[in-house]
Amino acid sequence: MALPAGRPRPEPTPETQHFWDGTKAGELRLQRCQACEKAYFPPRPFCPGCGAREVSVFAASGRATLHSYVIHHRKVPGFEPPYAIAVVELEEGPRMMTNIVDCPQTPEALQLDMKLEVAFTPMDDEITLPLFRPAQGTPAGERA
Amino acid sequence: MSIAPGSIAIVGAAESTRIGSVPEMSQIMLHADAALNALADAGLKPSDIDGVACTGAMMTQQVAHYLGITPKWVDGTSVGGCSFMLHVRHAAAAIHAGYCNTVLITHGESGKSRINATPRPPEPQSLNGQFEAPFGPFGPPTLFPIPVLRYMKTYGVTHEQLAMVAVVQREWASRNPRAAQRDPITVDDVLNSRMIAYPFRLLQCCLVTDGGGALILTRADRAKDFPQRPAYILGTGESVETNMISQMEDFTSSRAFRVAGPEAFRSAGISHADVDHLMIYDAFAHLPLYGLEDLGFVGRGEAGAFIEARHTAPGGKLPMNTNGGGLSYTHTGMYGMFALQESVRQVRGTAPAQVEGVNISVCHGVGGMFSASGTIVLGRERP
Ligand SMILES: [Zn+2]
């Protein structure tokens, strides 16, 4: 799937580079605190739960549920309305903003708590966005 | 050590001469126009002011110099539309501490005409720029309502109840000659208005206007020397949560509200039954619901039915957003100043839609998209 031009492009920083390297490599990388075991997002080199700097990066399952969303009806650069701006809850706990692809952008099709899986979608050679689509049965982490 | 309720008072309050569409004024002049009106309201000159607060990077010096003020205390807190509640709180503390005597808080925003307006780009290296902007939010109407569907599912709140918020506020606005939108509307009108960002339609989104407002604060023992009846500051609260709405910890409740609101009540020494008048910043139709619940006026999930039962409408037991709110009165982009102005008017007894016997008004603000909050309790009498 190709993304239309004009979508705001993220610029990685030293603290987030591993995340964007991950999406490019087909991994949804989260971080976990080694002291309190909290998994968290967005990236930072310390735990927002306890302040510890001892944290590790791990690949999340890519499984999520639809937590909430709006469906935007106005034309803006890079998007074809109507399109949903969604927040998903990852299996590991953290939430992230995303878009839901391979799914009608309607309240009927977009049911809260529906099962989703990550759909890595390249924006250009450097940036791949973690979009999500309705789960297709096979957990993403178990796919060959 | 805390400030005794009523030690500091608002002795001057005014909005810009015109609000709504003000293409003849740049943003800095909207600050100044409101400030000059507030100074006149208080019978003061710029040289009487020794503290200045407003929002925006480098703006305190711009506003102070533009008005010819040499402050010995400034506050540039910029946490969005409730910044003015925080300015009131900080100014009260500064006056109490003796850092200054007479504080001017200003707001000016050319939200509609965009003359000398503040740009709001999401920097592509910011966390918002990396983890929200790429997914298509363009401004508050696409961000602020993101939690609403989760709230509706959790508590069974209906589209009709969320439409009723706009209907009731239009009833208040119809009593206010300065309100931008005054024609009565029905639930059907709201639910048939243009879809902006599902679940919200045009009439559930705030206006976009030009305007300004200013407040003047001083010690209560000086307050009786001013021409207007003082509005005594009884209690205050503030907090922030996250600048990324995707990261707020509970989509059915604002943590910043739950910190700021109760602290304001605690410091004022009041209970909910003491509140005669309420302002809850309504950038979008769900905010009064979150505010009523997070401030404890009703139980979890009960606010939709509470508004539907007309308890916040004219004649109701808890008159709320009596100027018409951000939905129908005005919304420059940072509406908190206008909510405070209405609380001051109600406590003075001079509001266009004056509620009878207002002794205590609670004014609750939000900043960003649930990212910040400030709550001010004003009283007609000094305790
Ligand atoms: Zn930790």
Side-chain angles (χ1 to χ4, degrees):
Chain A
M1 166 187 170
L3 294 172
R7 188 184 275 250
R9 184 184 186 282
E11 285 182 20
T13 61
E15 299 83 10
T16 65
Q17 188 66 51
H18 68 271
F19 179 86
W20 295 111
D21 289 347
T23 55
K24 191 177 164 185
E27 279 188 4
L28 190 64
R29 292 180 185 162
L30 299 179
Q31 287 166 300
R32 179 176 281 124
C33 175
Q34 289 168 18
C36 74
E37 301 192 345
K38 179 187 170 73
Y40 64 87
F41 176 87
R44 77 209 78 172
F46 61 92
C47 170
C50 74
R53 289 178 186 265
E54 293 72 34
V55 298
S56 56
V57 174
F58 70 100
S61 68
R63 288 187 290 268
T65 54
L66 182 55
H67 192 63
S68 204
Y69 64 90
V70 295
I71 303 174
H72 193 202
H73 283 251
R74 217 161 49 95
K75 178 97 183 93
V76 295
F79 294 85
E80 200 53 54
Y83 66 95
I85 306 160
V87 173
V88 299
E89 185 166 293
L90 302 175
E91 190 175 61
E92 293 80 6
R95 296 190 190 124
M96 59 173 59
M97 190 174 282
T98 187
N99 302 119
I100 311 300
V101 296
D102 300 337
C103 181
Q105 304 291 289
T106 63
E108 295 71 30
L110 293 163
Q111 293 290 327
L112 294 200
D113 302 311
M114 69 190 285
K115 288 185 163 59
L116 304 166
E117 64 188 23
V118 69
F120 294 109
T121 308
M123 212 175 156
D124 54 35
D125 288 347
E126 292 302 315
I127 295 292
T128 292
L129 296 178
L131 308 185
F132 282 76
R133 66 182 164 227
Q136 292 164 2
T138 315
E142 294 168 21
R143 217 175 284 146
Chain B
M1 193 181 90
S2 63
I3 307 175
S7 322
I8 311 294
I10 296 172
V11 296
E15 298 177 357
S16 52
T17 309
R18 298 202 313 117
I19 57 171
S21 181
V22 192
E24 71 274 19
M25 283 190 194
S26 66
Q27 196 151 289
I28 185 74
M29 189 56 211
L30 288 165
H31 279 266
D33 180 50
L36 294 172
N37 288 345
L39 287 163
D41 185 65
L44 294 177
K45 302 182 300 299
S47 56
D48 297 319
I49 300 296
D50 62 358
V52 170
C54 62
T55 69
M58 309 290 208
M59 278 304 291
T60 52
Q61 50 268 60
Q62 285 189 54
V63 167
H65 191 257
Y66 201 59
L67 285 163
I69 294 167
T70 305
K72 55 185 186 185
W73 175 87
V74 298
D75 178 14
T77 301
S78 299
V79 294
C82 66
S83 298
F84 318 102
M85 283 78 173
L86 278 69
H87 294 155
V88 167
R89 186 169 204 244
H90 302 172
I95 294 166
H96 183 71
Y99 290 173
C100 52
N101 291 310
T102 312
V103 170
L104 171 69
I105 302 169
T106 68
H107 166 61
E109 192 164 4
S110 184
K112 178 170 192 279
S113 302
R114 310 292 302 163
I115 304 167
N116 173 228
T118 315
R120 299 181 185 176
E123 292 296 328
Q125 290 189 331
S126 68
L127 292 174
N128 297 72
Q130 292 186 67
F131 300 111
E132 289 194 341
F135 307 106
F138 277 79
T142 58
L143 285 165
F144 226 147
I146 282 178
V148 172
L149 290 179
R150 174 55 55 182
Y151 174 79
M152 292 174 75
K153 178 169 179 172
T154 301
Y155 295 117
V157 173
T158 65
H159 291 284
E160 287 73 18
Q161 288 173 334
L162 282 161
M164 193 63 184
V165 175
V167 171
V168 166
Q169 292 194 197
R170 187 61 64 83
E171 290 181 33
W172 284 113
S174 73
R175 292 158 166 76
N176 187 344
R178 265 168 75 89
Q181 300 289 336
R182 296 194 300 274
D183 295 337
I185 52 173
T186 65
V187 166
D188 280 348
D189 291 335
V190 177
L191 296 179
N192 289 318
S193 63
R194 184 159 55 88
M195 185 67 84
I196 301 294
Y198 175 87
F200 278 175
R201 295 172 180 272
L202 182 66
L203 293 176
Q204 292 165 304
C205 302
C206 65
L207 305 161
V208 180
T209 63
D210 306 324
L215 297 167
I216 295 170
L217 278 65
T218 195
R219 290 195 316 274
D221 56 24
R222 293 179 62 206
K224 59 186 178 305
D225 301 334
F226 290 83
Q228 305 289 341
R229 170 181 274 274
Y232 294 98
I233 298 166
L234 304 184
T236 62
E238 69 184 278
S239 190
V240 296
E241 187 181 349
T242 167
N243 201 33
M244 301 173 75
I245 196 157
S246 61
Q247 300 305 315
M248 70 187 286
E249 68 183 12
D250 181 348
F251 275 30
T252 70
S253 167
S254 161
R255 192 183 81 194
F257 285 14
R258 297 196 311 273
V259 174
E263 176 61 17
F265 277 73
R266 187 202 64 75
S267 55
I270 63 160
S271 69
H272 295 88
D274 298 321
V275 179
D276 305 306
H277 172 256
L278 177 63
M279 297 298 289
I280 296 181
Y281 190 130
D282 58 321
F284 294 91
H286 58 314
L287 291 172
L289 279 65
Y290 282 63
L292 284 166
E293 294 176 15
D294 286 337
L295 268 57
F297 285 99
V298 298
R300 290 276 153 223
E302 294 175 2
F306 187 79
I307 289 172
E308 196 173 32
R310 302 188 56 78
H311 292 310
T312 63
K317 65 182 179 186
L318 184 60
M320 180 177 75
N321 295 344
T322 49
N323 58 354
L327 295 178
S328 287
Y329 179 64
T330 207
H331 195 298
T332 54
M334 288 188 284
Y335 165 78
M337 174 57 81
F338 300 95
L340 285 165
Q341 295 286 337
E342 176 67 6
S343 279
V344 170
R345 287 190 293 261
Q346 289 286 349
V347 163
R348 284 180 174 180
T350 60
Q354 181 63 43
V355 173
E356 208 176 316
V358 174
N359 189 34
I360 290 181
S361 173
V362 170
C363 192
H364 179 71
V366 67
M369 319 300 154
F370 282 124
S371 76
S373 186
T375 313
I376 303 294
V377 182
L378 295 181
R380 183 176 171 88
E381 310 291 344
R382 188 175 181 186

